[in-house]
Amino acid sequence: MSFKFEFFIKSFKIASQYIGTTLEVALSGLVIGLILGLVIALIRFYNVPILSQFFIGFFTILKAIPIVLILLATYLIFAKTFDQFAAGIGWQMKFKDMNPLVIPIFCLSILSTIGLSETFRGTFASIGKGQQDAAKSIGMGTRQIIVRIILPQALPVALPMMSNTLIGLIKASALVSMVGVVDIFAAAKISAQQNYRFLEAYLAVALIYWILNSVIEQGAGLLERNLNRRLRRDAA
Amino acid sequence: MMTATNVHKRFGKHEVLKGVDLRVEPGQVICILGPSGSGKTTFLRCLNFLESADQGELTVDGQTVNFNKVNQKDRLAIRRKTAMVFQNYALFANKTAKENIMLPLMSAQKMSKSESEKRALEGLEKVSLLERADFYPSQLSGGQQQRIGIARALAINPDVILFDEPTSALDPELVGQVLGLMKDIARSGVTMVVVTHEMQFAYEVSDQVIFMEGGVVVEQGTPEALFYHPKKSRTKAFLSRYMNA
């Protein structure tokens, strides 16, 4: 089997035009996951009745299902029910007009919400009850304790896990081609099929993923060192 | 003034407090002694609602609440009139020494930033740690951390400060630092309730000493009476080990 470098370059060029799509899906998933994960972690940390149990049950089911199945199932459910649902609430929108990124972002958000809520729950627990007791004992309210004491300490600790989650999301985003979205992986596959040069295309897209993820890892490392210096957590 | 009457608390089947009473007059120092597991710390934590007592009444500065039906508003109001010093210091790890004192002033007492900073610096001076104002807790020794903890409690000018075994986590040399500071505070007229194993301190500083065991107050009296003329045999047995040492 021969390796044609020019096809490698060609695939690399084609696929890299879709970096934006991959990043959009992964970053949206991360942001939604951060917000929901934080809220759910707080709900579980403070043991809010009913909601807390609900999320435990919800996660137990979703955690066990491969993301590719969640993606395909969500797509089918949306495809079958969206038009009816939209008509029901008086929306003019049809499924075929919907932004094709909505479903992948929705599914990756589930993935990141589950992961990040567990991460946050762990970091909250690592802060220790003493500081919360101290804050309560001088009459600080729950919201003040969360904003002033818990989050400033939990977020830097959670940072490495957040960057891991983002890397996981970028890799998982390669699945979006299954629901008709063209990302870097799908673009590379298309170029491979046109030229019958699969190895070159796959290696080219692997290189793109590697570059993206290295940048994220380096960036997170820098940010982490910066935060640690400011918070003096390294000496703790 | 602070009074607590008939405080009951159970953890599951185990009744930790079986009707404890406490009365603290302004400016008084009360030490609570007793073996481990006697309920001293639990009692102290109940006074600040860190544990929720099942039964009993608490009055602080004229405000009376019933433990089993206290609402969040009353709880916050009473907490803002009291302060607590913890065994493990419990400083906020993400705040410097100065910020540790400022945070309660700004967030719970609604004081301006500049005024709380001024108070924090005064507080640091009082505990002789002004030069450590911008250090983080992780950069301070245990004794220094506890002195910051005490400064944090003093700064809010509470009706009473509750001390929960403030020297138990310190090495003997540092214990002296912290006890010395507490003596100064006691002399300056701050109302204090101190759970401690430091018998010498209790003897020298307290107005009243309480001996607790098994969730009840076994005996209460002046240090003189309790240490030298205990009425109950259990008190005598517990204190004799310290008195002979």
Side-chain angles (χ1 to χ4, degrees):
Chain A
M1 200 170 88
S2 64
F3 183 89
K4 287 261 170 59
F5 195 69
E6 59 195 272
F7 282 110
F8 175 81
I9 297 291
K10 198 173 161 198
S11 299
F12 187 91
K13 279 184 182 157
I14 293 173
S16 45
Q17 287 165 9
Y18 292 89
I19 287 176
T21 309
T22 293
L23 284 180
E24 189 181 344
V25 172
L27 285 173
S28 310
L30 182 75
V31 170
I32 296 172
L34 280 175
I35 297 166
L36 293 180
L38 201 54
V39 171
I40 293 170
L42 285 169
I43 288 173
R44 291 185 64 187
F45 187 63
Y46 283 101
N47 246 324
V48 178
I50 305 172
L51 280 179
S52 185
Q53 283 82 346
F54 170 78
F55 285 119
I56 292 173
F58 194 60
F59 284 2
T60 315
I61 297 169
L62 283 177
K63 235 198 257 180
I65 302 173
I67 183 68
V68 62
L69 285 182
I70 297 179
L71 189 66
L72 291 173
T74 312
Y75 185 77
L76 285 179
I77 293 168
F78 263 72
K80 279 205 156 56
T81 60
F82 184 82
D83 289 353
Q84 241 178 335
F85 175 77
I89 59 168
W91 257 1
Q92 292 301 314
M93 214 167 125
K94 290 263 187 258
F95 178 70
K96 60 177 169 41
D97 307 325
M98 198 168 81
N99 184 338
L101 294 184
V102 168
I103 290 174
I105 289 173
F106 176 84
C107 294
L108 290 188
S109 301
I110 294 179
L111 190 70
S112 63
T113 302
I114 294 174
L116 289 171
S117 78
E118 299 284 1
T119 301
F120 286 133
R121 217 160 52 92
T123 52
F124 293 169
S126 75
I127 293 166
K129 249 180 120 296
Q131 292 185 46
Q132 291 174 62
D133 279 351
K136 280 189 221 164
S137 78
I138 38 194
M140 285 172 70
T142 307
R143 215 189 59 221
Q144 289 175 326
I145 296 176
I146 293 172
V147 174
R148 307 285 202 127
I149 310 292
I150 295 184
L151 292 187
Q153 292 182 58
L155 293 181
V157 181
L159 196 69
M161 281 303 293
M162 288 187 220
S163 83
N164 265 348
T165 304
L166 181 58
I167 289 172
L169 289 175
I170 287 196
K171 290 190 285 187
S173 75
L175 295 168
V176 302
S177 60
M178 300 184 78
V179 293
V181 174
V182 180
D183 66 330
I184 50 179
F185 184 52
K189 261 197 307 195
I190 294 166
S191 96
Q193 280 156 358
Q194 282 165 354
N195 302 298
Y196 295 100
R197 309 286 333 183
F198 286 90
L199 184 64
E200 288 85 346
Y202 290 161
L203 287 178
V205 79
L207 180 65
I208 297 176
Y209 279 118
W210 179 82
I211 292 170
L212 281 181
N213 289 332
S214 309
V215 169
I216 292 168
E217 219 173 340
Q218 293 298 321
L222 267 174
L223 196 60
E224 197 186 332
R225 278 192 292 280
N226 198 340
L227 278 174
N228 274 342
R229 205 167 38 237
R230 276 186 40 212
L231 288 168
R232 306 289 208 280
R233 287 218 43 125
D234 37 355
Chain B
M1 193 191 72
M2 177 187 224
T3 52
T5 40
N6 198 26
V7 180
H8 285 262
K9 169 73 186 172
R10 51 169 68 244
F11 289 118
K13 280 189 177 149
H14 182 54
E15 190 168 27
V16 193
L17 299 175
K18 301 170 183 165
V20 180
D21 297 325
L22 174 77
R23 186 183 172 81
V24 196
E25 302 294 339
Q28 257 191 343
V29 177
I30 295 195
C31 282
I32 305 179
L33 313 177
S36 300
S38 57
K40 319 177 288 287
T41 291
T42 305
F43 177 63
L44 204 69
R45 289 172 64 85
C46 283
L47 296 179
N48 218 335
F49 308 102
L50 291 179
E51 299 290 348
S52 45
D54 303 320
Q55 196 187 322
E57 263 187 9
L58 176 69
T59 305
V60 178
D61 187 32
Q63 183 185 5
T64 301
V65 296
N66 199 316
F67 278 119
N68 58 9
K69 46 184 177 215
V70 56
N71 59 34
Q72 183 65 10
K73 193 168 143 267
D74 290 341
R75 197 180 289 149
L76 277 182
I78 288 194
R79 277 175 175 167
R80 283 172 189 177
K81 293 177 196 167
T82 62
M84 194 151 175
V85 174
F86 295 84
Q87 183 175 355
N88 57 6
Y89 334 125
L91 297 184
F92 307 126
N94 57 325
K95 304 273 172 199
T96 62
K98 186 176 77 182
E99 290 166 346
N100 259 280
I101 305 174
M102 288 168 65
L103 180 60
L105 296 176
M106 293 194 297
S107 63
Q109 310 280 325
K110 310 287 176 219
M111 213 178 262
S112 72
K113 192 173 176 195
S114 58
E115 198 181 343
S116 18
E117 185 168 12
K118 194 170 141 256
R119 272 241 215 151
L121 294 174
E122 283 167 15
L124 285 169
E125 188 154 27
K126 219 178 280 179
V127 300
S128 324
L129 283 173
L130 199 53
E131 78 285 359
R132 293 281 188 274
D134 296 320
F135 283 50
Y136 283 84
S138 60
Q139 299 168 308
L140 298 169
S141 75
Q144 290 172 333
Q145 288 189 54
Q146 191 59 295
R147 279 148 65 198
I148 305 286
I150 292 171
R152 178 172 71 181
L154 273 174
I156 64 175
N157 212 354
D159 284 10
V160 52
I161 302 183
L162 310 169
F163 290 81
D164 181 17
E165 301 194 26
T167 57
S168 299
L170 298 173
D171 74 51
E173 249 175 307
L174 299 178
V175 168
Q177 276 183 8
V178 171
L179 289 182
L181 172 64
M182 286 171 65
K183 275 183 208 170
D184 292 344
I185 296 170
R187 280 192 208 106
S188 72
V190 174
T191 314
M192 297 161 61
V193 178
V194 187
V195 168
T196 186
H197 292 295
E198 297 292 334
M199 298 301 155
Q200 188 64 33
F201 174 82
Y203 180 73
E204 285 174 28
V205 178
S206 335
D207 297 292
Q208 288 275 307
V209 179
I210 293 175
F211 174 64
M212 262 181 88
E213 184 168 48
V216 293
V217 172
V218 176
E219 196 170 344
Q220 173 170 4
T222 61
E224 198 57 37
L226 207 86
F227 280 95
Y228 288 103
H229 314 286
K231 293 193 189 75
K232 301 276 167 61
S233 59
R234 187 59 193 111
T235 316
K236 199 180 285 179
F238 180 78
L239 293 176
S240 66
R241 257 169 300 151
Y242 296 97
M243 298 309 285
N244 299 334

